[in-house]
Amino acid sequence: MKKLIFFITFFIFLSNNYLLAVDKPTELENKIFKNLRCLICQGQSIYDSQSDFAESMKIVVRKNLSNGMSEKDIYQFMRKNYGEWVLYNPEINKGTYLLWGLPIILFIIGGAIIIRKLGVFKK
Amino acid sequence: MTFNFIGNYSVIISLFLSFAIFFRTIFRLKNLNELIKIDLKKLIFFQFFFILVSFICLLILFINSEFSNITVYYNSHTTKPFFYKVSGLWGNHEGSLLLWLLILTFINFLYFSRSYNRPTKERLLTVIFQQIIIFGFTAFLIFTSNPFNEIFPSPKEGLGLNPILQDPLLAIHPPILYLGYVSTSIIFSSGLSSLVMGNVNSNWAFHIKKWILCSWIFLTGGILLGSIWAYYELGWGGFWFWDPVENISLMPWISLTALLHCVLVLEKRSSLGSWSIILCISTFTLSVCGTFLVRSGILNSVHTFANDPERGLYILIFLFFIIFLSLVLYFFYEDKLNFSNKSFGLITKESHILINNWFLMYFLSVILIGTIYPIFLEVISNQRISVGPPFFNKLIIPFLIPFLIFMSLGPNLGWLSSKKIEKKIILLTFFIINLFLSFFILKIIGKVKLLTLLLLAANFYLFFTTVKDFLKKGYKNFSQTVSHFGFSLLILSIILNAIFSKEIIANLKVGEGLSFENNQIIFKKIETSSGPNFEKIVGVFIIKDKKKIDTKFMPEVRIYNQPEVITSEAFIKTSIFKDRFLVINPVKDKTYFNVRYQEKPLMVWIWISTILIMIGGCINFLRNEK
Amino acid sequence: MKNKIFVTISFVLFVFCFAVFYVGLQKPNTYTPKLDKQIELPNFEGNDFFSGEKVISDNILKKNSYYIINIWASWCIPCRAEHSFLMALNNKNFNLLGINYKDNIINAQSFLNELGNPYSEILSDKNGVTSIELGAYGVPETFIVNKEKKIIKKIIGPIDNKKFNEILELIK
C-alpha cells in the first residue's frame, strides 16, 4: 500500500511539469456550453464568454453531468433558475410554435405559388 | 471650434438643398418639355459637396483630437495611432451616420450623372424617392444624433475608442458595408419609379443590374471583412455566430442575391417583373430595418451602438413610412405590371430561377423570424427567449441540400429538357458517384450521419458540375461559374471545417505544457512590452507537431490604457490546409492563463471562396455579360 | 376581390408590426431574470465559512421558518451600502443566510469585523457554484424564502430603504 502511494506521488511529481490535470471538455460539454447564454455578456454563449459568471456556469454544468444529469436535465435546471432566456435552442412550446412553424409554413406557401406558376397540373 | 461650426451648418444647408431638389424635381415633372440639365445636377452635386465638407470637418476634429467636440471626446484619445483616430470617426453612432449620409449623397449624385439613357420622367421620380430617403437620414442626423455637439469647458483628454474596434479590418469594414447597404437605396428608388412609370422591362433590368451587382459586391465584401474580424478578434475560433447584427447584414444580401437572379430573367425574357419590384423594395427595407434594429438597441447583441429610444423611434417611423409608401405605390400601380399570365413550364430558365428564389426567400424568412421573434414574443406575452445558432442550423442546413442540387442543375437545363434519356442518366449517375465519394470520406473519419452525407454529396455535385461547366463552356457565363464554384467551395470548407475542427482548453502557467493529438504545447515564458496605447503580455508557446517540428506561437493579452480594457489577440498560423489558432486569457489569480488551442482546417478557403463569389460579381459587372 | 383581401392583410400586418416594435422599444434590452411566480428553493451546497466543511442545503435549513439568503462579497461596493440594512434585519424572526461569493476569506472576515456579522450562518462560495445552483445573477442579491421553502422574492442589486420595507412587509 505504501509503495503504491509513493508511486502515485512520484508520478504526480514527475508529471507536474507536463500534463497537469487538464480538464479537457468533452464534446457533450461543449455542446451544452454553446447552448447556454451568458447572463453577464449577454450576446455570447458561455462557451465563448470568458466572464467569471460563465466560468462558474461551466463548473456547474460539469458537476451536474458527473452527478448523472442528462443534457436535458441540465437545460431544465438552468431554465428553472434563470428562465427560458438562457437557452439558445428554444424549446417547442406554446410560445415558440410560430417561431419554428412559420418559416416552414411560408416555405410551403411559396412552393404552392410556384407550382401554380409553373403550371405543373395544367395541360 | 470653427470646424464644429462649419460642419454643423453644412449638414443643415444640405438638408435645405434636399427640400430644394425635391420641389425643383416636382416642378420639372410638371413641365417636362423643359430640359433638365444643369441646375438639378448642380443642386445634387452641392448636396453631396456639403455633406463632404462636414465629413471633412469631423475628420479634422478627430485628427486634431479636439475634445471640445462631444463625438471626438467620447471616441478618441491623444495617444491613439493616427489610423484609428481616422477610423474612430465611424466607430460610433453619430460619425457612422455621417459616413452613411456621405455615401448616400455620393451614390445619388453618381446615379444622376450616369443615367442619361433613362427616360427623363423615370429619372426625376427616382430623384424624388432618393430625396425622401436623404431627407429622412439628414434630419435624423441633425435632430437626434448630431456629431457636432460641443462641450464646454473643453476636456483635456478624450475617453478613447473601444479597443476591440481598433483593428485594421474593422476600420475599413463600415465604409465597405455601407456602400453595399446604401446603394440598395438606388435600387429601391429606381424600382419604385419604374413601377410608377410602368416600364419594368428588360431595358430597365439591364440598367438596374449594374447597381444591383455593385451593391451586392460591396455587401459581400463587408460581410466577409466583419466575419474575418470576428474570427480573430471576437470569437474563439468562430466566424459566424448568428448574432442579430450579423443576421441583419445577411438578410439584405440574400434578398439582393434573389433579385440579382430575377433581374437576369427579366432582362432576357421580360418576365418576373412584379416579383423583381417586390425584391427591390424588400432589399432596401431590410437594410433600413437593419439600421433600426442595430441603432435603436431593441436587440441585444455583442456589437450594438449605444442605444437611445428616441433615435429608435425616429428610425422606426421612417422605416414604416418607407414601407407604407412602397405598399401604397405597389398596390396602386400593380396592374401596370401585367405580364403575361401564362405558366412557365417545368424546365425553363424561369422555373429554375423561381425555385432558387423560393429557397432564398425561405432562408431569409428563417433569419428574419429568428431575429425578430423574441421581440414579438416579449411584447405579446412578456416571455423572453433567445434564438441562437441551433435554431438557424436546424432550419437552414437540411434545406441547403435541395438548394445545392437545384443550383447545379440550373445551368444544365438544356440537358434536363433534352429528349435523349442518356443525358438525364449521366446527371443522375454523376450524383450517385458523389454520394459514394462523400460516404467514403465520412467513413474514413467515422462520422457518417445522413444529413452530413447528403449535404456533402450535394455540395460535391455542385462543385464538380461547375468545374465541368467551366471546362466545357469556357468563358461563356464565366461570372456565374465562378460565383457558383465559389459558393460550393464555401459550403465545402464550412462543412469540413465543422467536422475536422479540434480544440483543447486548459489553464496553464509558465513552464507547463500539455499534449494534444500528437502535438506538444509548451508554455515557455511570458514577456511584457508596450504598444502605442497599450501594454501587452505576450505568451511564448512552442508547439511540437508529430513530425517534431517546433513552431513558435505568441498570443497576446493587451491592456489598453484608454479606456482601460483587456483584450486577447489570438495568434494564428495560417496554411493552405489548416489554421492553427492559439489564444490566451489571464485567469483571476494571474499566475495561470486560460489557453485555447484550436486546429481549424480549411479556414483560409472560407475567405478565398467568398472572395471568389465576389470576383464572379465583378466579372459580370465589368464584362456586361448577359 | 382577392386583391382587396391581400391589401387588407398587408395593412393589418403593417400596423401590427409597427405597434410591436413601438412597444418593444420601450422595454429594456438587457435581461434580468424575473420571478413571476413562487418557485421552490433549489438544493444547493457550499462550504461553511468558518470551518470550511461541506454543507448541504437540506441539513442547514430549518423547517417552518423564514429565510433570507443574501449573496455578498467584500470586494463588492454596493454590498457595503446594503450591509446596514442587513444588520437592522438581524434581530427579526427569521434566519439570515449569507453566501460569500468568490471572496478571499481574510478580506471577508475583516469586512464582517468592521461592519458586523448579521448572518446566522455563512456559506462560502469559492467558485460561484452555490450561487448558480440557487439561480443567482450576481452580487449583491437577496432571496426571500417562506416557510414552505419557496422563493417569494428576488432582489437583484443592493437593498435600499424601499426594498427594506418591502422585505419587512413580506415576512410579517
Side-chain angles (χ1 to χ4, degrees):
Chain A
M1 193 61 200
K2 258 190 177 169
K3 227 177 181 178
L4 190 74
I5 292 172
F6 171 75
F7 229 93
I8 291 170
T9 38
F10 181 73
F11 195 76
I12 290 172
F13 181 70
L14 253 188
S15 63
N16 218 344
N17 274 331
Y18 282 99
L19 283 176
L20 192 86
V22 174
D23 41 8
K24 189 179 160 191
T26 61
E27 230 164 89
L28 177 65
E29 280 170 359
N30 272 340
K31 191 181 165 207
I32 297 173
F33 293 165
K34 282 179 188 170
N35 199 5
L36 290 174
R37 190 163 180 177
C38 175
L39 280 101
I40 302 300
C41 11
Q42 301 208 333
Q44 289 176 311
S45 67
I46 62 167
Y47 173 83
D48 291 322
S49 172
Q50 294 287 321
S51 70
D52 256 15
F53 185 83
E55 292 302 322
S56 307
M57 213 141 153
K58 283 180 199 165
I59 300 174
V60 173
V61 169
R62 233 174 238 165
K63 186 178 152 194
N64 286 342
L65 274 177
S66 64
N67 283 352
M69 270 188 170
S70 71
E71 191 186 342
K72 268 213 175 111
D73 294 340
I74 289 176
Y75 294 151
Q76 279 309 323
F77 169 80
M78 289 297 176
R79 207 171 79 113
K80 202 179 126 223
N81 275 356
Y82 293 108
E84 241 173 296
W85 188 89
V86 289
L87 301 182
Y88 261 128
N89 187 11
E91 288 170 19
I92 299 180
N93 59 29
K94 221 169 58 197
T96 56
Y97 280 141
L98 266 184
L99 172 69
W100 290 95
L102 204 57
I104 308 282
I105 293 169
L106 289 177
F107 185 73
I108 293 167
I109 293 175
I113 294 173
I114 285 177
I115 285 174
R116 239 193 59 196
K117 204 69 189 147
L118 297 188
V120 176
F121 298 117
K122 274 190 221 159
K123 274 279 153 94
Chain B
M1 197 51 195
T2 40
F3 288 117
N4 257 330
F5 182 81
I6 300 172
N8 200 358
Y9 281 95
S10 332
V11 181
I12 294 174
I13 291 172
S14 161
L15 184 73
F16 282 113
L17 277 175
S18 205
F19 271 117
I21 299 169
F22 187 79
F23 291 112
R24 190 86 196 131
T25 329
I26 287 182
F27 174 74
R28 283 292 186 215
L29 263 179
K30 282 183 185 151
N31 315 290
L32 262 186
N33 33 12
E34 246 182 278
L35 279 175
I36 53 147
K37 258 189 192 156
I38 325 286
D39 66 331
L40 203 54
K41 194 174 170 185
K42 258 188 193 158
L43 281 176
I44 286 173
F45 173 74
F46 277 118
Q47 185 178 40
F48 161 62
F49 176 76
F50 279 110
I51 295 287
L52 183 66
V53 167
S54 77
F55 185 82
I56 290 172
C57 286
L58 192 59
L59 197 62
I60 294 171
L61 287 170
F62 262 93
I63 291 171
N64 292 345
S65 299
E66 284 186 35
F67 299 118
S68 61
N69 177 301
I70 205 160
T71 318
V72 181
Y73 168 66
Y74 277 119
N75 298 290
S76 197
H77 192 268
T78 43
T79 59
K80 226 168 43 164
F82 178 79
F83 185 62
Y84 297 124
K85 280 185 184 166
V86 174
S87 75
L89 198 168
W90 52 77
N92 60 81
H93 168 75
E94 288 85 1
S96 67
L97 201 65
L98 189 61
L99 175 70
W100 176 284
L101 209 54
L102 178 75
I103 298 174
L104 186 59
T105 46
F106 171 68
I107 292 237
N108 183 40
F109 174 64
L110 198 69
Y111 169 81
F112 195 74
S113 49
R114 306 271 308 182
S115 60
Y116 282 115
N117 52 353
R118 302 300 301 156
T120 317
K121 213 172 160 192
E122 185 194 305
R123 279 178 78 202
L124 290 177
L125 272 173
T126 311
V127 169
I128 290 181
F129 292 127
Q130 264 321 93
Q131 282 314 317
I132 293 174
I133 296 165
I134 292 176
F135 177 80
F137 278 107
T138 319
F140 179 48
L141 184 88
I142 293 175
F143 296 119
T144 71
S145 22
N146 195 332
F148 296 103
N149 283 337
E150 287 178 60
I151 22 173
F152 187 82
S154 107
K156 288 249 156 20
E157 194 49 276
L159 298 181
L161 178 68
N162 184 354
I164 60 166
L165 302 180
Q166 295 187 26
D167 179 274
L169 273 190
L170 207 70
I172 53 168
H173 164 70
I176 305 253
L177 193 66
Y178 287 3
L179 268 170
Y181 273 140
V182 168
S183 13
T184 60
S185 73
I186 294 286
I187 301 166
F188 169 80
S189 306
S190 177
L192 278 188
S193 59
S194 66
L195 168 76
V196 172
M197 298 278 298
N199 58 0
V200 182
N201 50 27
S202 70
N203 221 330
W204 175 76
F206 179 73
H207 159 74
I208 203 67
K209 196 178 79 180
K210 290 272 167 196
W211 286 99
I212 294 171
L213 271 170
C214 160
S215 140
W216 186 79
I217 291 164
F218 281 115
L219 208 51
T220 317
I223 295 171
L224 174 69
L225 288 177
S227 186
I228 297 179
W229 170 77
Y231 168 60
Y232 69 69
E233 181 81 36
L234 244 203
W236 280 262
F239 57 96
W240 195 264
F241 301 93
W242 295 109
D243 179 85
V245 170
E246 297 166 347
N247 293 347
I248 279 160
S249 65
L250 194 60
M251 284 190 282
W253 187 85
I254 293 178
S255 177
L256 208 54
T257 312
L259 178 59
L260 188 60
H261 288 87
C262 257
V263 155
L264 291 176
V265 173
L266 182 62
E267 189 189 352
K268 270 186 243 174
R269 323 219 171 169
S270 290
S271 57
L272 292 179
S274 61
W275 179 234
S276 300
I277 294 296
I278 293 178
L279 284 177
C280 283
I281 295 168
S282 77
T283 305
F284 180 65
T285 312
L286 285 170
S287 300
V288 181
C289 185
T291 317
F292 164 67
L293 293 174
V294 179
R295 290 172 196 257
S296 66
I298 197 170
L299 285 175
N300 194 328
S301 140
V302 223
H303 20 223
T304 37
F305 291 91
N307 45 315
D308 174 357
E310 193 197 336
R311 284 173 194 164
L313 187 61
Y314 184 95
I315 320 183
L316 181 66
I317 292 172
F318 181 60
L319 170 67
F320 275 78
F321 172 72
I322 286 176
I323 298 176
F324 184 77
L325 179 76
S326 8
L327 273 180
V328 169
L329 286 176
Y330 184 80
F331 285 125
F332 201 74
Y333 290 99
E334 196 192 12
D335 336 332
K336 281 202 188 179
L337 290 172
N338 254 342
F339 288 96
S340 66
N341 230 347
K342 74 169 194 273
S343 51
F344 293 144
L346 258 188
I347 303 163
T348 54
K349 189 93 186 163
E350 286 93 332
S351 68
H352 164 239
I353 296 282
L354 265 186
I355 287 169
N356 147 304
N357 270 238
W358 176 31
F359 279 96
L360 284 175
M361 285 302 110
Y362 169 73
F363 296 142
L364 179 65
S365 70
V366 171
I367 299 171
L368 184 67
I369 291 168
T371 312
I372 63 173
Y373 191 82
I375 302 174
F376 278 70
L377 191 65
E378 194 198 346
V379 168
I380 291 164
S381 71
N382 227 352
Q383 193 183 350
R384 295 199 63 166
I385 59 164
S386 305
V387 177
F391 170 80
F392 296 105
N393 291 342
K394 270 183 201 163
L395 283 184
I396 287 179
I397 292 174
F399 286 85
L400 266 177
I401 298 165
F403 180 67
L404 288 166
I405 293 174
F406 278 119
M407 205 165 152
S408 13
L409 289 181
N412 288 306
L413 285 175
W415 287 43
L416 264 185
S417 57
S418 95
K419 294 257 156 53
K420 285 185 196 151
I421 199 87
E422 306 98 72
K423 294 213 165 177
K424 287 181 192 175
I425 289 174
I426 290 175
L427 284 177
L428 192 66
T429 38
F430 202 44
F431 184 72
I432 290 170
I433 291 170
N434 284 311
L435 207 57
F436 276 111
L437 176 68
S438 352
F439 182 75
F440 281 120
I441 292 178
L442 290 175
K443 190 83 190 172
I444 291 166
I445 335 157
K447 284 188 180 172
V448 187
K449 264 196 209 158
L450 187 66
L451 193 66
T452 357
L453 175 70
L454 287 175
L455 189 60
L456 203 57
N459 193 51
F460 273 129
Y461 193 42
L462 177 63
F463 188 82
F464 289 119
T465 11
T466 42
V467 173
K468 183 209 79 182
D469 280 355
F470 175 65
L471 294 177
K472 255 190 106 175
K473 295 181 189 163
Y475 292 107
K476 190 183 162 228
N477 265 337
F478 189 49
S479 60
Q480 177 201 34
T481 316
V482 171
S483 284
H484 283 196
F485 178 73
F487 188 75
S488 74
L489 196 61
L490 175 68
I491 303 286
L492 185 69
S493 324
I494 292 175
I495 299 171
L496 294 180
N497 185 283
I499 296 176
F500 286 108
S501 282
K502 289 175 207 149
E503 74 164 352
I504 185 163
I505 305 173
N507 286 340
L508 294 181
K509 62 181 178 193
V510 175
E512 287 181 344
L514 57 103
S515 71
F516 167 63
E517 311 245 337
N518 300 325
N519 286 323
Q520 287 278 342
I521 304 170
I522 303 157
F523 190 175
K524 279 279 180 207
K525 58 180 175 194
I526 49 175
E527 290 164 356
T528 48
S529 56
S530 48
N533 56 342
F534 53 83
E535 301 287 317
K536 63 181 174 185
I537 304 170
V538 184
V540 181
F541 288 77
I542 300 286
I543 298 182
K544 275 193 178 70
D545 62 9
K546 50 180 175 243
K547 289 174 204 142
K548 299 281 172 211
I549 300 167
D550 287 1
T551 324
K552 204 170 172 191
F553 279 71
M554 298 203 292
E556 291 172 16
V557 173
R558 287 188 185 167
I559 302 134
Y560 282 84
N561 50 17
Q562 206 37 268
E564 220 166 272
V565 176
I566 299 178
T567 66
S568 301
E569 304 291 313
F571 190 89
I572 306 171
K573 271 249 183 293
T574 304
S575 68
I576 312 173
F577 295 112
K578 65 181 177 195
D579 272 19
R580 298 161 83 193
F581 184 107
L582 189 72
V583 64
I584 55 172
N585 276 287
V587 181
K588 232 186 177 176
D589 52 6
K590 295 278 151 64
T591 47
Y592 277 92
F593 282 87
N594 183 279
V595 178
R596 265 189 204 221
Y597 174 70
Q598 295 182 312
E599 289 191 354
K600 315 227 73 174
L602 300 180
M603 224 33 226
V604 75
W605 290 99
I606 294 177
W607 318 135
I608 293 177
S609 53
T610 315
I611 293 170
L612 267 181
I613 295 175
M614 272 168 73
I615 289 176
C618 294
I619 293 172
N620 197 322
F621 188 81
L622 295 173
R623 280 181 59 174
N624 253 338
E625 227 170 75
K626 286 253 169 171
Chain C
M1 184 56 207
K2 208 173 130 200
N3 206 5
K4 254 187 193 154
I5 295 171
F6 199 61
V7 173
T8 327
I9 290 174
S10 308
F11 281 98
V12 169
L13 219 84
F14 174 83
V15 173
F16 173 68
C17 287
F18 183 83
V20 166
F21 281 131
Y22 181 78
V23 178
L25 267 182
Q26 327 292 324
K27 302 205 168 200
N29 71 346
T30 47
Y31 175 75
T32 34
K34 264 187 270 148
L35 192 68
D36 37 11
K37 56 175 191 285
Q38 301 188 354
I39 57 166
E40 209 153 307
L41 183 69
N43 292 326
F44 57 92
E45 48 184 65
N47 297 337
D48 188 84
F49 183 68
F50 298 103
S51 66
E53 277 167 48
K54 195 171 177 184
V55 181
I56 299 171
S57 58
D58 284 350
N59 296 344
I60 51 163
L61 295 178
K62 284 174 234 143
K63 286 200 176 90
N64 269 328
S65 55
Y66 273 103
Y67 267 92
I68 291 183
I69 302 176
N70 175 256
I71 299 170
W72 63 284
S74 62
W75 47 264
C76 135
I77 292 151
C79 295
R80 236 162 228 284
E82 76 166 4
H83 209 78
S84 58
F85 289 105
L86 292 174
M87 290 303 286
L89 282 170
N90 195 11
N91 41 17
K92 301 280 184 320
N93 54 339
F94 57 83
N95 302 291
L96 184 54
L97 174 66
I99 292 188
N100 185 229
Y101 181 77
K102 291 190 179 171
D103 208 351
N104 177 312
I105 279 271
I106 297 162
N107 292 348
Q109 264 164 352
S110 61
F111 179 90
L112 292 181
N113 287 340
E114 186 193 333
L115 300 168
N117 179 1
Y119 305 107
S120 51
E121 191 143 7
I122 306 177
L123 298 187
S124 95
D125 182 13
K126 267 270 166 228
N127 49 14
V129 171
T130 314
S131 319
I132 288 179
E133 285 176 330
L134 268 170
Y137 174 68
V139 269
E141 188 164 337
T142 311
F143 292 7
I144 303 182
V145 182
N146 71 5
K147 287 179 180 169
E148 285 83 47
K149 295 288 160 284
K150 295 227 162 92
I151 302 175
I152 51 175
K153 190 167 178 61
K154 274 187 187 178
I155 298 169
I156 292 174
I159 300 171
D160 53 19
N161 245 328
K162 194 177 147 229
K163 285 172 184 156
F164 181 72
N165 289 332
E166 272 176 44
I167 296 174
L168 291 184
E169 211 43 42
L170 275 171
I171 52 173
K172 241 175 203 168

